[in-house]
Amino acid sequence: MAFPALPAKERRRMAHTHRVGGDIDAFCTRCKMELGHTILAMVGPKPVRVRCNTCQGEHAYRGPPEKKKGTWVPAAERAAKPAVTSWDALLREKDISRARPYSAKDRYSTDDVLQHPVFGIGLVQEVRGDKISVAFKADVKTLVHGKS
């Protein structure tokens, strides 16, 4: 006796129907990985309590991680930090003898030359509110300025 084939729509619906006693992949809080679990309790069509088939631990159902809605942007798409390409080229037109000693209380503007007690001579490349990006010979550092 042969059973009539189910329509494709009905086969897809049945494939995604969960039931108590059925299997589901979930994040195990004890094993700390996504493993096969047995469904213990459901609320409507959603599983709420599961048992890990590996460690036998029971816990609330944790499905696959959802993408968080945030402002994260891949590093390749973020604005690049000002990079020191050539230290000599940056300071070629600047008068280093007039470098101001760095103080968090002083205010700086773009292209100011300053003398930092640890990092040495630096060139202010960007001003962002109470912070400045300063290019030093070794790296670009973010410093505070205008603090009372």
Side-chain angles (χ1 to χ4, degrees):
M1 179 174 171
F3 291 103
L6 291 172
K9 184 176 181 181
E10 185 66 20
R11 282 195 309 262
R12 282 193 302 271
R13 188 187 67 75
M14 289 179 67
H16 294 293
T17 303
H18 299 297
R19 57 183 166 67
V20 173
D23 290 328
I24 191 169
D25 287 337
F27 182 80
C28 180
T29 56
R30 188 181 294 171
C31 300
K32 305 292 186 213
M33 53 178 27
E34 194 167 327
L35 296 168
H37 285 68
T38 301
I39 300 172
L40 300 177
M42 295 186 61
V43 173
K46 296 184 179 185
V48 292
R49 190 105 181 127
V50 293
R51 177 185 299 125
C52 179
N53 295 341
T54 303
C55 70
Q56 301 304 313
E58 292 183 13
H59 56 83
Y61 171 69
R62 288 185 175 84
E66 296 178 11
K67 290 186 177 182
K68 294 180 181 177
K69 296 178 182 177
T71 58
W72 182 83
V73 178
E77 295 176 17
R78 277 185 238 144
K81 283 175 51 176
V84 179
T85 53
S86 169
W87 181 244
D88 296 327
L90 281 176
L91 294 180
R92 188 170 294 139
E93 302 158 2
K94 307 297 177 200
D95 185 7
I96 297 174
S97 63
R98 298 187 61 177
R100 296 167 41 195
Y102 170 73
S103 171
K105 294 179 181 179
D106 290 343
R107 294 207 51 85
Y108 299 93
S109 58
T110 305
D111 291 333
D112 282 353
V113 179
L114 58 88
Q115 173 69 44
H116 192 277
V118 175
F119 305 122
I121 298 289
L123 178 66
V124 178
Q125 292 190 318
E126 183 181 10
V127 178
R128 298 180 317 272
D130 65 343
K131 295 182 181 173
I132 53 175
S133 293
V134 183
F136 293 100
K137 188 167 189 171
D139 198 6
V140 176
K141 302 287 184 184
T142 300
L143 306 174
V144 295
H145 75 128
K147 295 286 184 181
S148 313

